[in-house]
Amino acid sequence: MNKNEKDWIDITSGVNVRKCMRCGKCSATCPSYDEMEYHPHQFVYMVEKGDIEPLLNSKSLYKCLTCFACVERCPRGVEPAKVIEAVRLTAVRKQGNNHLLPDQIPDMLDDDLPQQAIVTAFRKYTK
Amino acid sequence: MQRIGVFVCHCGTNIAATVDVKAVAEALSHEPGVVVSQDYQYMCSESGQELVKNAIKEHGLTGVVICSCSPRMHENTFRKAAASAGLNPYLVEIANIREQCSWIHKDIASATDKAIILGKAAVAKVHLNAPLTAGESPVVKRALVIGGGIAGIQTALDIAEAGFDVDIVEKEPTIGGKMAQIDKTFPTLDCAACILTPKMVEASQNEHITIHSFSEVSDVKGFVGNFTVTIKKKARYVDETKCTGCGLCTEKCPMKKVPNEFNMGLDNRTAVYIPFAQAVPKVATIDPNYCMMLKNGKCGVCSKVCSVGAIDYKQTDKFIEQKYGAIVVATGFNPIKLDKYDEFAYSCCPDVVTSLELERLMNAAGPNGGTLLRPSDKTHPHTIVFVQCVGSRCDDEKGKPYCSKICCMYTAKHAMLIREKYPDTEVYVFYIDVRTPGKNFDEFYRRAVEQYNVHYIKGMVGKVTPKADGKIDVQASDLLANEQLHINADMVVLAAAIEPDKTARPLATMLTTQMDTNDFFTEAHPKLRPVESATAGIFLSGACQGPKDIPETVAQASAAAAKAIGLLCKNSITCNPCVAHSDELMCNGCSACEKVCPYGAITYQDKEFRMPDRSTAIRRVASVNPAVCQGCGACTVACPSGAMDLNGFSNSQIMAEVDAICK
Amino acid sequence: MQVNENFEPVIVAFCCNWCSYAGADLSGTNRLNYPANVKIIRVPCSCRVNPMFILRAFQRGADGVIICGCHPGDCHYTSGNYFTRRRITLLYSMLDFLGIERNRTRLEWVSAAEGAKFAAVMNQFVEDVKKLGPNRRLEDLRCRKQ
Amino acid sequence: MQEAMIKRAKELLADGTVNRVMGWKKGEFAYDTTPAVFETAEEIDREFVYNDFTQANQSKYLIKESRKEGKILALLKPCDTYSFNQLVKEHRIIRENVYVIGIPGGPKIDIEKIKAKGITGITNVKNEDFTLKIETIYGVETMPFYEAISVKCESCKSKKHVVYDELIGEDGDVLDSNRFDMVEKLENMTAQERYDFWRGELSRCIRCNACRNVCPACTCENCVFDNPKSGIDQKAAADSFEENMFHIIRAFHVAGRCTDCGECSRVCPQNIPLHLLNRKFIKDINCLYGEYQAGADTTSKAPLTDYRTDDCEPSVVHERGAE
């Protein structure tokens, strides 16, 4: 178990995973459920256990649409989407500083691309 | 000269672990007037009290300071001990060095320092304590029960059984409450009506019980043993004394489209109505929101058909005032509103119902005569999904933080009854935990699973979607199989959280009792005084104090009755001698104190005084009725001259404490 | 102003018997820590607290005074805390008018069930008073501690 | 005006309506007037005075006077009627024993303001068309009337008589006064500035008790500051705390009862603006609990013996104005 990674996820997500009462409503409501190897409730549970390595290596990370249905529905206010996002961030940061660079952006622009997507691209997408 | 004894309790290690009790006893022994200062393992024990008593006799103590737990715990214990040793009980002061010192501080040095200061403050105060004698005030031998559900009925029956008069105030037209709406009861599956209605009838026939149905408490004054309560009897537009309950008016009433609250709005009633066949009192009530005669003066059919002339369109609300010695609160509960849980589609789909609605759907007196049919198209449902913990166990804004306690069991009951009656119906129960702590409860739940083959699935329902074909898609997770399910259901039943009745909050204000943040009444002590409120003479019965099932409610109802009977048995009760008193020589007669007194305990009289210059003057001065004063002290601050003071918490005593703390 | 790191303020807390004193007991029962600076005086109702007591406390060396009572509407004596609220509002306003630091005085509603709130309130209050330093504007030089 | 009062007073004495008259008596100099009780027409003719210097509020004397045999005539200026009413409300004055004539009020002038101009040896002051002719042993000096108006009249709150049995002259209206301006100015200072201001003022207090003794709201049989049992008794202000303590408690005890008659500041030999403390309470009460004028009637509930369930929390006083 990697204690630092768990603490890091606790801090970046701002979520207290111990609030989870294991009702599974997050997974029940998740539109990407079938695409995922690990489901929202498992993210919460595994982060709580400190079992983060399998999550970092799973494609499930990128299946979360950040639709926030789980956040909306969670009776305990745990906010699983934020946990997943924090794990995703951890994975991204582990990949080293090989993000897109600002001068690479103009080539990729097209008129339909929302501004927010461009900003997000800086931290999400690697070369 | 004062002779004060100080007794420092170790409370095992509760105090001694963080407070150096020897040092406290040593330090306090040097305080002025202290002639003996001792520490002991358990001061509240028999031998600890003996120690105090012996010291009182041996040293001729004039004041006692106990450094121990909160005075809310053992003040009475030590007062009694002092009294038995011949010292006035009000010459005892407690320094709270456990709850307010040893338990909250970790550092021994600072906790010990604080304990010494608290001890010094108590010594300083006890110097100024005066011996007080408690007066007595008579007890009115009549009890009031607020709420006529099973809790209120049971309490009233028990009090009446002991020979005391008791009034039930019920806001609905009939007593019976929620239990009257329930079909069967767990874990025995006996018929709720069959066990409730005999009690309702018994209550109505008992010579000691008066039922004020369709009534509310509108004002409460007074104090333990002597409450004055104003009861508002709402106009029902039917003379209760004349109505025979024949029901002819309800048959003939042309206004037939009124949602029937007894059946949870699943069918309709008439504007003049009797809630259900076994209603007590069995008297019709006219609903002024729908009655055409009352709304626009056109109709009057009920009045024409009533053979005894009981209909009275001119009836108005009546107020009656009655004195009571004890009041029992039994205001019960309601399921919460589910409108805000969009994911369960409760507001938009008629086939998504609450459990209480299901009770009515399955009841022989319900909208479908006991046949379980879908509310939307009256067809037989083949797949039914139960969702647990809807609004219970939630974080702050999402619902109630507590477990509603009864849902696991009634859902098992529902599932079992459906499988019993309609074996072709598949029943799914989505649960987070199944909680069955009760006699024969777990066995009951296991029967549902093992014998009736109810599908219990651990996991919550995420989304309920009504489909075009009338079916309902239930999307849920199965946490054990780690898969997401879609169930094509015909009906969905939601186990809505329960909450205290809305009338409880204003009632608590009238009764000056405390409530928790969820509006459940707070008991005087969570373990040792579970059926009493912190306000003397007010008792708690049933779900108004917390979620409860029927057997628990009945047990608590009887316990509350026992407590009330204990009070009513007394001819008088000892008053609190810590009451206000006015120094006539200083009183200006300005009436400021009278205006802030919540009990009307202060009156004025003109008295003749010899003035310092030997003349006589007639002055208006205040006097306090010690039997009525409850000792809040509001008057002492309103009084500009300082003529008004409070026994036990006098100006000089409090200032002595302030001085000792700040020294 | 020079801030003394080791300054330990004297805090007098007046707590009503029915709600706040019980709330303080509850925070003890739940072992919720708050600083030992806080010393509680039990009064039957917050309306028993005479402005004279508050001034007396400052005179004798208190650095902060806090009054705790039942939440408005929950007073054991029906209306006591409503009177408290008016009186204490006016008194605190007057102290403020005379230039006494605002954070030396406080009124809080703490119910018998709010042990956690009691501890939180006390922690905050002690911290606020610590920031202000010793009470100098409303002290009696004759009572000054060495 | 003085003649009309004397005439009516003598009539009432003669027809037995009253057996005493409460008024003002000439002193050694014209500006030196004292409240006094007259029992005969002769005394009235000889000593009764009503002029620009008769500032004193008579209400407080009526507490004792109304408890004596027979009825007394009280001549009350508009501001005095508020104090009178308040004392009736508090059962201190027995209304039936007082015959009230409402008389026109100020603005009155303050001899101290004349003296402050450096004028000494004053023997008489005459008001001639709002110019003061000041006769002194050194000759006659003049100054504008308005420059000598007393502090309490400068911010007059009302020309209306709230209680009377009959009137001499006309009744006026409640005025829009600027009486809270100074309070507001202080509120807008920083706490340190306010503290310095009040230290500067209150440190001059010599505890002569004049403010308390003249105050028509301070009518306790035994004042807490004189009562050894009160725990706060003090005869002299020994240090800054006691200076503050006395004035805070005094202002608090009259809060909601003070009619803002201004007598406390008028009599203060050290010229401490004590009325500002009272006005602070009045201003707070008006903004927090609704407009209230003590003495305006005898039935309304006083703000401190009343409440609303939605009253503001004390934190409001900490959230507004300067720190």
Side-chain angles (χ1 to χ4, degrees):
Chain A
M1 159 169 159
N2 187 333
K3 180 137 195 319
N4 286 341
E5 235 153 44
K6 178 190 179 327
D7 290 348
W8 170 248
I9 289 168
D10 283 350
I11 292 163
T12 48
S13 66
V15 168
N16 179 3
V17 285
R18 290 189 305 279
K19 282 170 80 179
C20 174
M21 65 168 171
R22 324 236 187 278
C23 71
K25 199 172 177 184
C26 48
S27 291
T29 203
C30 181
S32 299
Y33 187 96
D34 293 335
E35 315 285 319
M36 291 172 141
E37 178 190 1
Y38 297 108
H39 306 116
H41 74 275
Q42 287 172 292
F43 269 87
V44 175
Y45 184 55
M46 288 166 78
V47 167
E48 192 190 330
K49 283 197 305 178
D51 193 9
I52 293 158
E53 210 51 40
L55 298 176
L56 289 171
N57 297 325
S58 165
K59 286 271 181 261
S60 305
L61 271 187
Y62 309 101
K63 302 294 181 192
C64 169
L65 303 168
T66 325
C67 72
F68 276 56
C70 51
V71 174
E72 185 60 33
R73 304 274 155 78
C74 175
R76 304 293 308 163
V78 177
E79 305 177 305
K82 292 192 180 173
V83 175
I84 297 171
E85 176 65 14
V87 177
R88 192 152 50 197
L89 263 177
T90 313
V92 169
R93 289 185 192 206
K94 280 184 154 237
Q95 286 157 348
N97 290 322
N98 61 347
H99 304 280
L100 287 179
L101 297 171
D103 50 6
Q104 295 170 307
I105 298 292
D107 295 340
M108 300 175 181
L109 285 183
D110 79 55
D111 291 342
D112 298 331
L113 199 60
Q115 186 71 29
Q116 201 176 359
I118 303 169
V119 178
T120 316
F122 278 104
R123 70 184 159 86
K124 272 193 178 169
Y125 297 113
T126 53
K127 280 182 212 167
Chain B
M1 183 62 198
Q2 293 269 15
R3 301 178 59 79
I4 293 163
V6 176
F7 304 90
V8 186
C9 180
H10 297 211
C11 195
T13 56
N14 280 309
I15 293 171
T18 28
V19 169
D20 182 346
V21 284
K22 299 255 181 239
V24 174
E26 219 291 309
L28 294 179
S29 71
H30 303 301
E31 284 297 291
V34 175
V35 293
V36 53
S37 182
Q38 293 174 299
D39 61 284
Y40 190 71
Q41 199 76 22
Y42 287 105
M43 213 50 97
C44 62
S45 68
E46 195 86 352
S47 46
Q49 291 185 48
E50 214 47 49
L51 188 82
V52 178
K53 288 184 208 168
N54 289 339
I56 291 172
K57 288 177 198 150
E58 191 181 323
H59 298 276
L61 298 183
T62 59
V64 167
V65 168
I66 315 271
C67 301
S68 62
C69 54
S70 171
R72 295 167 53 82
M73 294 291 298
H74 277 306
E75 190 169 52
N76 266 336
T77 312
F78 294 116
R79 278 182 176 169
K80 277 184 193 151
S84 74
L87 184 70
N88 184 288
Y90 293 91
L91 298 174
V92 176
E93 281 297 326
I94 310 281
N96 183 344
I97 62 164
R98 192 179 76 174
E99 280 86 345
Q100 294 179 6
C101 188
S102 71
W103 276 354
I104 42 167
H105 306 314
K106 292 198 174 106
D107 176 49
I108 293 181
S110 64
T112 305
D113 282 348
K114 178 170 170 180
I116 291 169
I117 290 173
L118 293 177
K120 283 180 178 175
V123 172
K125 186 180 181 192
V126 89
H127 266 281
L128 299 162
N129 277 24
L132 302 174
T133 318
E136 297 207 321
S137 98
V139 175
V140 178
K141 306 258 173 193
R142 190 181 189 95
L144 172 68
V145 176
I146 305 171
I150 180 60
I153 293 170
Q154 184 63 46
T155 302
L157 286 172
D158 287 351
I159 294 174
E161 179 77 3
F164 296 104
D165 287 338
V166 48
D167 295 358
I168 300 176
V169 170
E170 167 58 52
K171 67 179 188 306
E172 302 297 334
T174 171
I175 59 169
K178 289 286 171 299
M179 189 171 168
Q181 290 176 276
I182 295 172
D183 185 39
K184 299 280 191 304
T185 58
F186 61 78
T188 48
L189 292 183
D190 39 3
C191 154
C194 313
I195 54 178
L196 174 69
T197 48
K199 282 200 181 285
M200 291 164 63
V201 173
E202 204 185 326
S204 75
Q205 289 173 349
N206 192 306
E207 55 177 348
H208 287 299
I209 298 179
T210 309
I211 297 172
H212 297 292
S213 63
F214 211 51
S215 299
E216 284 165 13
V217 170
S218 67
D219 189 37
V220 180
K221 284 199 175 71
F223 49 92
V224 53
N226 199 356
F227 295 103
T228 305
V229 178
T230 309
I231 298 166
K232 175 180 164 187
K233 285 186 88 86
K234 294 181 280 189
R236 71 198 310 163
Y237 305 103
V238 173
D239 188 334
E240 269 183 67
T241 56
K242 290 184 190 160
C243 177
T244 58
C246 70
L248 194 58
C249 53
T250 67
E251 282 166 33
K252 301 291 180 196
C253 176
M255 185 62 218
K256 297 191 191 298
K257 284 271 157 66
V258 186
N260 183 355
E261 47 282 90
F262 184 72
N263 279 338
M264 304 304 290
L266 293 164
D267 65 353
N268 292 325
R269 60 164 169 82
T270 46
V272 56
Y273 67 109
I274 297 173
F276 55 97
Q278 304 96 323
V280 169
K282 196 163 185 198
V283 175
T285 304
I286 298 179
D287 186 337
N289 296 320
Y290 293 93
C291 171
M292 288 187 287
M293 188 66 187
L294 289 170
K295 279 173 83 178
N296 47 33
K298 289 186 191 123
C299 183
V301 169
C302 49
S303 167
K304 282 178 208 128
V305 299
C306 182
S307 55
V308 291
I311 306 290
D312 176 9
Y313 299 116
K314 298 231 155 47
Q315 210 175 59
T316 50
D317 294 350
K318 278 195 195 67
F319 292 86
I320 52 176
E321 204 179 90
Q322 182 67 259
K323 281 190 173 290
Y324 299 99
I327 298 177
V328 183
V329 184
T331 45
F333 73 96
N334 278 308
I336 61 165
K337 280 202 166 28
L338 297 177
D339 307 356
K340 69 173 176 180
Y341 301 99
D342 289 339
E343 65 265 37
F344 296 124
Y346 175 75
S347 341
C348 65
C349 178
D351 296 328
V352 178
V353 297
T354 66
S355 300
L356 193 54
E357 287 164 3
L358 184 73
E359 293 281 356
R360 297 315 304 155
L361 287 172
M362 290 167 65
N363 189 280
N368 303 327
T371 313
L372 179 58
L373 299 173
R374 282 166 33 116
S376 61
D377 55 10
K378 306 280 179 202
T379 57
H380 170 58
H382 293 280
T383 306
I384 299 181
V385 170
F386 286 87
V387 186
Q388 299 296 85
C389 302
V390 176
S392 298
R393 308 171 67 188
C394 283
D395 203 41
D396 301 339
E397 286 126 48
K398 307 219 169 176
K400 304 293 177 187
Y402 48 85
C403 166
S404 295
K405 199 171 186 179
I406 54 176
C407 327
C408 286
M409 286 303 290
Y410 69 58
T411 299
K413 172 191 77 178
H414 290 153
M416 210 184 277
L417 289 169
I418 292 170
R419 291 284 297 160
E420 167 87 30
K421 217 166 166 188
Y422 313 102
D424 63 330
T425 301
E426 289 299 323
V427 175
Y428 296 87
V429 178
F430 285 92
Y431 68 94
I432 305 172
D433 304 283
V434 178
R435 295 180 168 172
T436 55
K439 191 176 174 183
N440 292 328
F441 281 17
D442 207 61
E443 297 91 317
F444 184 77
Y445 151 60
R446 290 314 304 167
R447 259 170 66 205
V449 177
E450 294 167 22
Q451 196 177 327
Y452 288 94
N453 199 16
V454 176
H455 308 297
Y456 269 80
I457 300 171
K458 175 159 172 74
M460 194 60 180
V461 169
K463 194 157 175 57
V464 173
T465 321
K467 294 196 293 189
D469 63 357
K471 291 273 192 175
I472 304 167
D473 176 55
V474 179
Q475 182 182 329
S477 69
D478 181 338
L479 289 176
L480 299 180
N482 202 10
E483 60 181 352
Q484 198 175 58
L485 304 174
H486 284 270
I487 293 171
N488 203 19
D490 297 306
M491 270 183 82
V492 174
V493 183
L494 305 175
I498 60 173
E499 65 180 357
D501 193 82
K502 291 276 177 263
T503 57
R505 172 59 71 173
L507 185 66
T509 303
M510 280 190 264
L511 295 170
T512 72
T513 49
Q514 275 120 42
M515 287 188 139
D516 63 19
T517 46
N518 299 310
D519 280 7
F520 286 115
F521 282 87
T522 307
E523 58 281 6
H525 189 282
K527 291 166 188 75
L528 303 176
R529 296 171 68 194
V531 299
E532 294 156 84
S533 78
T535 304
I538 313 276
F539 305 97
L540 309 174
S541 172
C544 67
Q545 180 260 348
K548 274 180 197 66
D549 60 21
I550 294 168
E552 263 189 287
T553 296
V554 172
Q556 203 201 12
S558 291
K563 285 284 168 191
I565 293 163
L567 169 61
L568 296 176
C569 280
K570 294 179 185 155
N571 289 323
S572 64
I573 42 167
T574 312
C575 302
N576 170 18
C578 295
V579 293
H581 60 92
S582 156
D583 182 339
E584 291 177 343
L585 289 174
M586 287 199 287
C587 176
N588 304 327
C590 71
S591 278
C593 51
E594 177 200 26
K595 295 206 173 75
V596 298
C597 179
Y599 304 100
I602 299 171
T603 50
Y604 290 87
Q605 54 195 127
D606 288 325
K607 272 196 174 176
E608 199 173 296
F609 287 89
R610 284 279 276 182
M611 302 306 280
D613 61 1
R614 298 192 164 201
S615 63
T616 54
I618 292 175
R619 284 181 29 224
R620 182 176 191 269
V621 290
S623 64
V624 180
N625 180 347
V628 180
C629 175
Q630 297 295 296
C632 66
C635 53
T636 61
V637 184
C639 177
S641 69
M644 199 59 92
D645 210 344
L646 188 64
N647 288 339
F649 296 95
S650 69
N651 287 334
S652 54
Q653 283 176 309
I654 295 176
M655 283 200 256
E657 285 182 273
V658 167
D659 291 358
I661 287 173
C662 296
K663 210 182 273 171
Chain C
M1 198 172 72
Q2 196 188 341
V3 179
N4 182 356
E5 292 293 327
N6 300 322
F7 169 55
E8 287 298 339
V10 175
I11 307 283
V12 177
F14 292 97
C15 292
C16 87
N17 181 48
W18 303 95
C19 286
S20 307
Y21 194 88
D25 278 355
L26 183 63
S27 77
T29 311
N30 292 343
R31 312 299 197 273
L32 301 167
N33 294 12
Y34 56 87
N37 309 60
V38 179
K39 315 284 192 302
I40 295 171
I41 293 179
R42 184 165 71 129
V43 286
C45 175
S46 58
C47 70
R48 176 66 187 96
V49 180
N50 196 312
M52 294 195 305
F53 304 160
I54 298 168
L55 293 176
R56 174 77 158 215
F58 283 123
Q59 176 186 29
R60 297 296 160 119
D63 300 296
V65 176
I66 181 166
I67 299 168
C68 300
C70 308
H71 285 268
D74 293 351
C75 176
H76 181 76
Y77 305 101
T78 323
S79 53
N81 53 5
Y82 289 127
F83 293 121
T84 310
R85 186 160 62 177
R86 284 202 170 186
R87 289 166 185 166
I88 299 302
T89 301
L90 289 180
L91 179 75
Y92 286 0
S93 178
M94 178 54 79
L95 293 178
D96 181 49
F97 189 62
L98 293 176
I100 312 305
E101 301 93 332
R102 292 176 176 181
N103 286 340
R104 289 204 193 281
T105 50
R106 191 161 299 173
L107 175 69
E108 285 286 345
W109 311 122
V110 181
S111 82
E114 292 174 330
K117 180 175 178 187
F118 187 86
V121 163
M122 290 306 157
N123 279 312
Q124 184 62 49
F125 187 58
V126 172
E127 195 179 306
D128 290 348
V129 175
K130 273 190 179 172
K131 277 185 208 146
L132 291 174
N135 160 37
R136 288 280 176 263
R137 290 184 185 169
L138 200 58
E139 71 167 345
D140 192 332
L141 286 170
R142 297 166 302 178
C143 302
R144 182 182 279 193
K145 276 165 290 190
Q146 296 310 309
Chain D
M1 191 54 62
Q2 182 179 322
E3 278 59 53
M5 288 182 207
I6 289 173
K7 178 167 172 283
R8 187 66 187 131
K10 287 200 285 193
E11 279 170 19
L12 288 166
L13 267 182
D15 70 13
T17 310
V18 298
N19 63 3
R20 285 156 298 143
V21 175
M22 176 98 210
W24 295 265
K25 185 165 86 170
K26 282 176 192 152
E28 196 171 349
F29 302 104
Y31 55 79
D32 182 11
T33 66
T34 326
V37 177
F38 305 89
E39 291 187 0
T40 60
E42 293 71 42
E43 280 178 87
I44 294 176
D45 279 334
R46 195 168 62 238
E47 293 186 308
F48 185 94
V49 63
Y50 186 75
N51 60 23
D52 290 334
F53 292 101
T54 47
Q55 283 192 67
N57 185 340
Q58 304 219 332
S59 313
K60 190 173 183 176
Y61 302 96
L62 294 167
I63 296 172
K64 280 231 166 66
E65 289 300 325
S66 73
R67 282 154 204 272
K68 290 181 182 166
E69 198 66 36
K71 214 165 177 174
I72 186 166
L73 169 64
L75 299 154
L76 300 181
K77 304 189 295 294
C79 50
D80 301 350
T81 59
Y82 286 86
S83 306
F84 180 86
N85 238 5
Q86 182 65 24
L87 287 166
V88 169
K89 186 174 178 175
E90 292 174 9
H91 308 276
R92 302 294 284 151
I93 288 176
I94 298 166
R95 177 70 182 90
E96 302 80 69
N97 292 346
V98 185
Y99 190 86
V100 178
I101 296 184
I103 56 170
K108 302 287 178 187
I109 53 178
D110 184 354
I111 191 68
E112 297 302 324
K113 285 203 168 181
I114 300 174
K115 287 179 180 167
K117 292 270 176 189
I119 303 170
T120 52
I122 304 166
T123 54
N124 200 2
V125 181
K126 283 181 186 151
N127 176 8
E128 288 178 5
D129 214 11
F130 296 103
T131 301
L132 295 181
K133 288 256 159 46
I134 303 150
E135 297 164 14
T136 76
I137 50 175
Y138 310 109
V140 178
E141 305 253 7
T142 58
M143 74 183 277
F145 176 83
Y146 70 86
E147 283 184 16
I149 292 177
S150 71
V151 174
K152 71 184 240 180
C153 292
E154 272 175 349
S155 50
C156 180
K157 64 179 179 292
S158 176
K159 294 270 182 202
K160 181 178 149 80
H161 297 85
V162 287
V163 57
Y164 56 81
D165 294 310
E166 65 178 81
L167 277 177
I168 293 180
E170 305 238 316
D171 202 9
D173 293 313
V174 176
L175 306 177
D176 272 336
S177 77
N178 54 355
R179 58 185 176 138
F180 297 122
D181 289 0
M182 186 58 192
V183 174
E184 204 163 308
K185 193 176 149 198
L186 279 164
E187 284 171 348
N188 289 328
M189 291 180 179
T190 65
Q192 184 65 49
E193 285 168 345
R194 281 198 297 271
Y195 179 71
D196 294 340
F197 172 86
W198 281 112
R199 272 298 62 234
E201 297 292 346
L202 295 179
S203 61
R204 297 203 303 276
C205 176
I206 55 172
R207 271 310 295 283
C208 66
N209 285 333
C211 50
R212 181 190 77 186
N213 293 353
V214 79
C215 175
C218 277
T219 64
C220 286
E221 297 290 324
N222 190 354
C223 175
V224 284
F225 289 102
D226 292 343
N227 176 6
K229 281 196 286 183
S230 75
I232 58 163
D233 64 310
Q234 31 164 287
K235 292 295 177 195
D239 63 11
S240 67
F241 177 83
E242 287 188 347
E243 289 155 9
N244 287 335
M245 166 95 161
F246 174 75
H247 292 290
I248 296 170
I249 294 291
R250 207 190 79 72
F252 189 83
H253 277 181
V254 301
R257 303 167 54 229
C258 167
T259 64
D260 199 7
C261 73
E263 289 285 276
C264 44
S265 294
R266 181 179 72 83
V267 301
C268 181
Q270 296 290 81
N271 296 318
I272 302 171
L274 294 167
H275 62 284
L276 293 178
L277 296 175
N278 299 327
R279 280 190 189 160
K280 169 64 178 167
F281 274 138
I282 295 170
K283 183 169 179 280
D284 276 346
I285 286 167
N286 283 349
C287 6
L288 301 176
Y289 309 125
E291 292 285 323
Y292 180 83
Q293 173 60 53
D297 62 74
T298 55
T299 48
S300 61
K301 273 197 131 186
L304 276 174
T305 56
D306 196 13
Y307 63 85
R308 281 169 47 134
T309 53
D310 59 350
D311 277 339
C312 60
E313 296 294 325
S315 51
V316 297
V317 307
H318 291 167
E319 280 154 12
R320 66 182 183 202
E323 174 68 40

